[in-house]
């Protein structure tokens, strides 16, 4: 799967399931913490579940830095497929 | 010395849980360290990482006479209520207005929801779904005719219900109240906590391994009674109900504040309101769920409050035996705490190995967590704590001796100083007033409110916050924040604990519950949504409102039909009158979406063309929205220079049980609610200048209203204007009930100068005539709840 296709799918998921508005979410936007997106641990469970189901990659327990942005999540998926 | 007016006692106990079918069995197992946790039998655990739960094994609830067709939660509740009544020497209240029922629940009729979506959509299951059914059906069992409601504050609900019951007695609104809580173990909570990874893969281990909870189920009921009433009938008295505290975290929808601030506010309030000190507490039945977030915050709270002030404090979590019974937890734990007090035995916290004990010693300090074995100890005063999803905290104290519960002597006037209005016609008070044209009919047969980015921006709400909210919570957040803004009330560090919230709702989070059930019915219990699950608790909306506003005071979600939108104001008035808070947000919120539309449609109540009030239809315009009133102690309001729209002068609540979901036959309760409200306001029916009615076009509803008005007002009806907010905006249930009160206040304040009212002519027909707001001094707002509950509120100048 092309990198951009994967990122587009992740963005679609984050917008449709986690209520993030598409116009403020770029692939390098910071997702967690005090960012304008403000994802938290509950959201990370949803992302882990989606990534497992959609891409067959288990992100349970992986380091926080892999969840920084859509870019880093996609990079982890690519590296661990 | 506590005077008799403030003296509340416990005269009966009832309980069912995984460790027993009655109080004695549960108690004996508790002090013998027998855990009820085992592999799950009643719920599908395929592919789930934990299959432990604490299921009720006793099968007597399933065949109790008179409970056929009720949800599992109601059957558990009535089992405990029956035991408590019997224990207390009570048989039947005979419809007495001095007897009430307050029941806590978290997930309510989820077993009926599951059956509806997995075993054919049977209409008879629908009335069993909402939490509201539980207290109403329990009141039907014992024929209580006074205040009847459910407290839907998730895991703190059971404790709050007992606190509120004692407040009702102390404010003179009841002599005896059955309080407690009930919840079932079912797929929705099991799949939900699985999705959150909040279940322990092994039996839960509170204050020990901290790897998660184990769900339980059950019910607890206590008879809370005024001392005078108990003495007069020669009742056995277990103990005194002393003070209690209820607070909110304003932090996170599922996680407690790590600094324990909210927990400590509730605990300290309970101690202060009891008129005792930290040193007087001998035993704390802790919340102790077994999650790291809860238990670490709770270790911190207990150490901060008691270290150095009480070196002989016993603490235990009985959840290691009963599992976490959610909305029943506070109730079953109150029963166990009261038994501990009376028997002078502290039940243990089970599940510690030798190695665990070493770690516990480091964490516990001088606190004695009674690991594995009970402790015999002379107990004089005990505390039970519950902390919930939504950031709600509750603490209550029971004692052998009369405490020193303080009550304010004077009764404050309560002003309506702000309001937030979300209706299908638009949002905001200004919009409501400007848009209002008397006598406008509804635009459609089905109406929905809308909140969006413009509203959030105007209220300063950020996307990182509102993206998490389900629609019910969105409606509530917008109207709640609008009410604060409209009232010019800024939440600061100094006043955050002086203001609280009562959310009133008929169906609450039923739509998110059904949505979640549909998800797991399709994908299995291992594939629930961690994002969606927190919004299935009815108090999520109140929790979010606390988070976005910063309100840290009292926080309760009350649900018992449409009348909950007025009942919230009555409840808020009692909170202010007791001096618990200086200001309260009282709300009415309900939503209309595809799910709710299907449920009302299946029952035949959703109209397919616009329906006018008093038109003799068999259906109504299904609608939704949210109205929030800011109620404030007049002195506090004047101190800050607040505008006062009008005063909430008096309130009344009554119940006459009919089958839940129906109304006909409960007429006389509305008469009583009106009489109580008028008396509470210190006026007579002759002083009422207008009524905001609850007629929605459905004949069964409208006939009850008209019948009561005829009986109460007699010949005056031809000249007494009856106003309607539902003519234009439909049946928004709790939202309409609260809107009726807001509409009345806006008329009294002159913002709405006139309205087109209904008048009942001598020929029995309704006529229309314009009424000038300036001619009105007192307006009576009315609302009804399915199952036969009514609330009346007098709003005046």
């Amino acid at each position: 799967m092309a990198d951009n296709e994967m990122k587009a799918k992740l963005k679609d998921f984050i917008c449709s399931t986690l209520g993030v508005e598409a116009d403020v979410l770029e692939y390098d936007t910071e997702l967690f913490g005090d960012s304008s997106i403000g994802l938290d641990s509950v959201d990370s469970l949803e992302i882990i579940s989606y990534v497992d189901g959609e891409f067959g990659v288990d992100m349970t327990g992986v380091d926080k830095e892999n969840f920084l942005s859509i870019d880093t999540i996609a990079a982890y998926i690519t590296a661990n497929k | 010395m506590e005077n008799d007016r403030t003296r509340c006692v416990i005269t009966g106990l009832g309980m069912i849980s995984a460790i027993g079918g009655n109080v004695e069995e549960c108690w004996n197992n508790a002090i013998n360290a027998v855990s009820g946790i085992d592999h799950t039998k009643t719920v599908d655990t395929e592919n789930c990482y934990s299959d432990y739960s604490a299921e009720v094994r006793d099968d007597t609830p399933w065949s109790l006479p008179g409970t056929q067709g009720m949800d599992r939660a109601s059957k558990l509740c009535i089992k405990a209520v029956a035991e408590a009544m019997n224990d207390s020497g009570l048989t039947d209240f005979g419809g007495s207005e001095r007897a009430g029922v307050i029941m806590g629940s978290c997930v309510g009729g989820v077993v009926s929801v599951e059956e509806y979506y997995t075993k054919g959509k049977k209409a008879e299951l629908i009335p069993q779904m909402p939490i509201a059914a539980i207290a109403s059906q329990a009141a039907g069992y014992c024929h209580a005719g006074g205040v009847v409601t459910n407290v839907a504050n998730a895991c703190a609900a059971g404790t709050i219900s007992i606190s509120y019951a004692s407040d009702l007695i102390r404010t003179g609104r009841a002599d005896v109240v059955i309080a407690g809580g009930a919840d079932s173990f079912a797929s929705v909570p099991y799949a939900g906590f699985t999705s959150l990874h909040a279940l322990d893969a092994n039996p839960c281990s509170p204050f020990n391994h901290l790897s998660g909870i184990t769900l339980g189920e059950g019910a607890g009921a206590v008879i809370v009674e005024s001392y005078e009433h108990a003495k007069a009938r020669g009742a056995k008295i277990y103990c005194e109900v002393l003070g209690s505290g209820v607070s909110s975290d304003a932090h996170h929808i599922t996680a407690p504040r790590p600094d324990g601030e909210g927990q400590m506010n509730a605990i300290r309030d309970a101690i202060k309101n009891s008129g005792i000190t930290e040193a007087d507490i001998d035993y704390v039945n802790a919340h102790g769920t077994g999650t790291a977030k809860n238990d670490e915050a709770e270790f911190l709270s207990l150490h901060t409050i008691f270290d150095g002030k009480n070196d002989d404090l016993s603490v235990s979590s009985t959840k290691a035996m009963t599992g976490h019974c959610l909305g029943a937890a506070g109730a079953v734990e109150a029963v166990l705490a009261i038994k501990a007090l009376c028997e002078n035995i502290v039940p243990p916290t089970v599940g510690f190995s030798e190695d665990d004990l070493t770690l516990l010693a480091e964490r516990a300090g001088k606190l004695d967590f009674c690991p594995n074995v009970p402790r015999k100890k002379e107990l004089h005063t005990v505390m039970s704590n519950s902390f919930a999803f939504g950031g709600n905290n509750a603490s209550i104290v029971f004692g052998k001796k009369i405490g020193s519960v303080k009550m304010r002597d004077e009764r404050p006037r309560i002003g309506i100083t702000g309001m937030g209005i979300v209706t299908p016609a638009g949002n905001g008070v200004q919009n409501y007033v400007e848009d209002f044209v008397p006598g406008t009919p509804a635009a459609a047969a089905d109406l929905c409110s809308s909140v969006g980015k413009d509203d959030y921006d105007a209220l300063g709400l950020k996307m990182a916050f509102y993206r998490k909210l389900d629609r019910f919570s969105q409606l509530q957040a917008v109207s709640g924040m609008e009410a604060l803004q409209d009232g010019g009330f800024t939440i600061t560090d100094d006043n955050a604990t002086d203001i609280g919230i009562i959310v009133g709702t008929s169906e609450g989070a039923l739509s998110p519950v059904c949505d979640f059930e549909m998800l797991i019915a399709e994908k299995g219990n291992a594939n629930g949504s961690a994002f969606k699950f927190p919004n299935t608790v009815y108090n999520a909306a109140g929790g979010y409102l606390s988070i976005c506003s910063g309100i840290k005071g009292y926080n309760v979600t009350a649900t018992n039909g449409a009348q909950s939108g007025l009942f919230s104001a009555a409840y808020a008035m009692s909170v202010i009158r007791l001096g618990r808070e200086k200001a309260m947000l009282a709300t009415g919120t309900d939503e209309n979406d595809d799910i709710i539309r299907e449920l009302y449609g299946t029952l035949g109540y959703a109209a397919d063309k616009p329906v006018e009030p008093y038109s003799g239809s068999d259906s109504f315009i299904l609608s939704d929205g949210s109205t929030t009133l800011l109620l404030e102690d007049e002195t506090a309001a004047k101190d800050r220079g607040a505008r006062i729209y009008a005063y909430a002068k008096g309130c009344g609540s009554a119940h006459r049980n009919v089958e839940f979901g129906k109304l006909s036959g409960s007429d006389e309760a509305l008469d009583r609610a009106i009489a109580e409200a008028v008396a509470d306001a210190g006026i007579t029916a002759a002083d009422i200048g207008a009524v905001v009615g609850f007629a929605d076009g459905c004949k069964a509803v409208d006939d009850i209203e008209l019948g009561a008005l005829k009986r109460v007002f007699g010949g005056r009806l031809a000249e007494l204007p009856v106003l309607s907010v539902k003519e234009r905006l439909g049946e928004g249930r709790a939202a309409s009930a609260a809107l009726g009160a807001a509409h009345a206040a806006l008329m009294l304040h002159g913002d709405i100068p006139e309205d087109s009212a209904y008048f009942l002519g001598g020929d029995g027909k309704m006529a229309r005539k314009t009424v000038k707001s300036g001619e009105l001094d007192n307006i009576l707002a009315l609302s009804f709840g399915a199952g036969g509950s009514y609330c009346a509120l007098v709003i005046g100048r």
Side-chain angles (χ1 to χ4, degrees):
Chain A
M1 184 183 297
D3 225 28
N4 269 346
E5 192 185 337
M6 184 189 294
K7 289 177 187 174
K9 280 189 167 185
L10 284 165
K11 178 171 172 174
D12 272 358
F13 171 78
I14 290 170
C15 293
S16 65
T17 304
L18 305 182
V20 174
E21 287 160 9
D23 57 350
V24 296
L25 182 60
E26 304 296 336
Y27 294 159
D28 62 352
T29 306
E30 190 185 337
L31 296 175
F32 284 82
D34 294 332
S35 73
S36 62
I37 312 294
L39 299 193
D40 64 15
S41 59
V42 169
D43 300 300
S44 72
L45 292 170
E46 291 287 74
I47 292 173
I48 290 166
S49 170
Y50 173 74
V51 168
D52 195 2
E54 185 68 28
F55 306 108
V57 174
D58 183 4
M59 293 187 75
T60 309
V62 307
D63 286 344
K64 270 186 190 168
E65 60 253 31
N66 297 294
F67 290 95
L68 284 180
S69 64
I70 289 174
D71 281 337
T72 65
I73 296 171
Y76 184 89
I77 294 168
T78 304
N80 290 277
K81 265 198 149 179
Chain B
M1 173 69 84
E2 188 177 13
N3 68 38
D4 286 342
R5 187 169 70 102
T6 62
R7 196 170 167 195
C8 287
V9 293
I10 299 286
T11 60
L13 303 175
M15 175 173 169
I16 179 165
S17 74
I19 58 170
N22 56 55
V23 172
E24 265 328 292
E25 196 182 347
C26 289
W27 173 246
N28 286 331
N29 281 324
I31 57 172
N32 285 304
V34 176
S35 172
I37 296 174
D38 201 350
H39 296 288
T40 294
K41 294 179 181 65
T42 61
V43 165
D44 182 10
T45 60
E46 188 180 2
N47 297 326
C48 296
Y49 72 91
S50 172
D51 77 339
Y52 283 102
S53 63
E55 297 162 296
V56 165
R57 293 169 183 81
D58 183 279
D59 59 6
T60 51
W62 323 136
S63 55
L64 281 176
T67 64
Q68 288 78 4
M70 291 183 188
D71 188 80
R72 183 179 176 93
S74 291
K75 290 177 178 174
L76 289 167
C77 178
I78 289 173
K79 172 74 169 68
V81 165
E83 185 187 8
M85 290 276 290
N86 187 49
D87 184 40
S88 185
L90 294 163
T91 50
D92 191 300
F93 293 120
S96 168
E97 64 200 34
R98 302 294 299 167
V101 175
I102 312 295
M103 278 296 151
S105 186
C106 177
V107 295
V110 278
V111 172
S112 298
V113 172
E114 183 175 354
E115 196 177 336
Y116 181 83
Y117 286 104
T118 59
K119 295 179 184 166
K121 294 184 170 179
K122 298 190 193 87
E124 64 265 28
L125 290 168
I126 296 172
Q128 312 305 326
M129 292 179 181
I131 286 177
I134 299 172
S136 199
Q137 290 168 338
Y141 171 81
C142 59
H143 299 106
V147 180
V148 173
T149 197
N150 298 269
V151 167
N153 285 73
C155 317
T159 302
I160 292 172
S161 70
I162 302 170
S163 166
Y164 181 45
S166 60
D167 285 356
L168 284 171
I169 290 169
R170 290 187 172 122
T171 49
R173 296 188 66 203
D175 293 327
V176 54
V177 180
I178 305 180
D183 259 321
S184 307
F185 177 66
S187 290
V188 167
Y190 174 67
F193 282 98
T194 298
S195 73
L196 287 171
H197 287 249
L199 295 181
D200 196 324
N202 299 301
C204 70
S205 180
F207 301 119
N208 187 8
H209 296 158
L210 311 189
S211 2
I213 68 170
T214 300
L215 284 166
E217 64 175 343
V222 297
I223 309 292
V224 188
E225 196 165 350
S226 77
Y227 173 72
E228 291 294 325
H229 191 265
K231 187 177 72 174
R233 69 181 186 89
K236 160 188 67 185
I237 292 173
Y238 281 94
C239 64
E240 308 281 326
V241 185
L242 301 182
S244 53
V246 177
S247 75
S248 41
D249 272 1
H251 172 66
H252 189 270
I253 200 63
T254 57
R257 288 180 74 98
D259 63 8
E261 181 194 325
Q263 298 181 359
M264 290 193 282
N265 284 342
I267 293 169
R268 286 186 172 126
D269 278 355
I271 292 171
K272 189 181 85 180
N273 293 337
S274 299
I276 59 173
T277 70
E278 290 81 356
D280 294 319
I281 306 285
D282 299 306
Y283 165 55
V284 175
N285 186 302
H287 190 52
T289 60
T291 68
K293 283 189 170 143
N294 178 79
D295 290 8
E296 279 167 7
E298 203 167 0
F299 270 124
L300 177 62
S301 298
L302 292 170
H303 280 306
T304 307
I305 288 176
F306 292 104
D307 282 2
K309 294 179 180 169
N310 186 338
D311 289 341
D312 186 27
L313 181 64
S314 299
V315 180
S316 70
S317 168
T318 43
K319 288 188 177 73
M321 296 180 282
T322 62
H324 191 342
C325 300
L326 301 178
V332 303
E333 287 156 22
V335 171
L336 293 175
I338 292 164
K339 283 296 286 182
L341 175 69
C342 297
E343 306 285 338
N344 296 306
I345 303 175
V346 176
T349 310
V350 302
F352 290 86
S353 68
E354 283 303 315
D355 289 347
D356 295 335
L357 290 174
T358 310
L359 180 60
L360 178 68
E362 290 169 23
R363 285 167 162 167
K366 289 189 173 171
L367 299 172
D368 172 19
F369 281 85
C370 302
N372 299 337
V373 287
R375 180 175 166 195
K376 288 194 175 178
K377 175 182 176 184
E378 184 72 21
L379 299 174
H380 304 283
T381 311
V382 301
M383 167 179 271
S384 182
N385 294 336
S386 298
F387 312 125
F389 260 27
N392 294 151
N393 311 291
S395 176
I396 192 162
V397 178
F398 303 100
K400 279 179 185 157
K401 290 187 294 190
I402 305 171
S404 184
V405 175
K406 301 283 189 298
M407 277 184 63
R408 63 192 295 170
D409 294 326
E410 85 291 6
R411 204 171 91 152
R413 294 191 85 198
I414 296 171
I416 299 171
T417 57
M419 53 183 88
I421 299 176
V422 173
T423 76
N427 305 337
V429 178
Q430 193 183 347
N431 174 76
Y432 183 79
V433 168
E434 288 173 1
D435 192 51
F436 181 72
V437 177
T440 308
D446 184 88
L447 299 169
C448 287
S449 303
S450 169
V451 292
K453 196 164 186 331
D454 290 347
D455 299 294
Y456 303 135
D457 288 347
L459 296 165
L461 300 178
K462 303 288 187 221
M463 194 261 286
F465 167 75
Y466 64 73
R467 68 179 183 81
K468 282 186 163 286
L469 277 58
D470 64 295
R471 190 163 166 279
F472 174 65
S473 299
Q474 290 170 349
L475 298 171
Q476 181 57 77
V478 169
S479 88
M481 292 298 284
E482 275 179 4
L484 290 171
Q485 194 177 65
D486 181 59
F489 198 110
T490 307
I491 308 291
T492 64
D493 287 347
D494 290 335
N495 69 14
T497 58
D498 295 334
I499 175 168
I501 301 167
I502 308 291
V503 171
T505 181
S506 177
E507 275 81 45
L510 183 58
S511 180
V513 170
C514 292
D515 183 51
F516 191 87
E517 170 56 41
M518 284 189 272
L519 172 72
I520 58 174
E522 183 195 339
K523 295 188 170 176
N525 287 342
N527 295 298
S529 161
F531 187 82
K532 288 182 172 181
F533 179 61
N535 294 336
T536 66
V537 296
Y538 284 35
N539 65 321
Y544 286 124
L545 182 54
S546 153
I547 293 166
C548 68
S549 65
I551 290 174
K552 292 180 179 172
Y554 204 90
N555 193 325
V556 164
T557 295
T559 177
N560 184 15
Q563 60 109 32
S564 307
L566 270 189
F567 184 83
S568 63
Y571 193 152
M573 287 168 73
S574 77
V575 172
I576 294 172
R577 283 173 175 175
L578 276 164
R580 284 185 178 276
E581 306 291 355
K582 290 176 182 166
M584 292 293 292
L585 294 179
T587 90
T589 305
D590 269 303
E591 66 174 323
N592 176 20
D593 61 6
D594 289 345
I595 289 170
I596 297 296
R597 196 174 296 124
E598 176 189 316
L599 299 180
Y600 273 99
T602 302
L603 290 172
Y605 290 130
D608 52 14
K609 57 180 188 294
V611 172
E612 286 176 43
Y614 314 110
S615 61
S617 173
D618 56 4
S619 58
F620 49 72
I621 297 169
L622 188 61
S623 179
D624 70 4
S626 178
T627 294
T628 300
L629 302 177
L630 173 57
L631 300 177
E632 206 166 348
D633 182 318
E634 183 187 37
T635 308
K638 287 189 169 167
D639 282 350
R640 67 178 189 90
R643 164 203 51 201
I644 296 176
Y645 282 107
Y647 290 88
K649 288 178 152 179
C651 55
S653 294
H655 179 88
R656 169 64 181 267
N657 193 73
V658 292
E659 181 187 343
F660 191 76
K662 307 284 187 198
L663 208 58
S664 300
S666 60
D667 313 46
E668 62 87 22
L670 177 56
D671 301 23
R672 287 192 283 114
I674 295 171
E676 187 188 351
V678 167
D680 188 42
I683 60 173
T684 67
D687 299 316
I688 298 293
V691 175
V692 181
F694 56 69
D696 58 17
C698 187
K699 190 169 187 302
V701 173
D702 299 4
D703 282 355
I704 293 218
E705 180 199 294
L706 287 178
L709 294 180
K710 283 178 196 167
R711 289 188 295 276
V712 173
F713 295 102
R716 270 192 73 207
L717 261 194
E719 297 302 322
L720 183 72
V722 181
L723 308 163
S724 171
V725 296
K726 296 181 185 174
E727 178 186 22
R728 178 170 69 113
L729 297 169
E731 178 56 273
R733 295 150 286 144
S736 299
L739 182 62
H743 188 88
L746 287 168
M747 288 184 75
L748 292 168
H749 192 244
D751 302 276
I752 293 176
E754 61 180 35
D755 197 355
S756 170
Y758 292 88
F759 291 84
L760 180 65
D763 56 359
K765 292 185 179 155
M766 299 303 281
R768 299 301 292 267
K769 203 161 59 178
T770 296
V771 56
K772 300 285 184 192
S773 302
E775 296 167 1
L776 305 173
D777 288 327
N778 294 298
I779 301 178
L780 178 69
L782 302 176
S783 189
F784 71 100
S789 293
Y790 298 88
C791 190
L793 194 68
V794 175
I795 299 140
R797 290 184 195 278

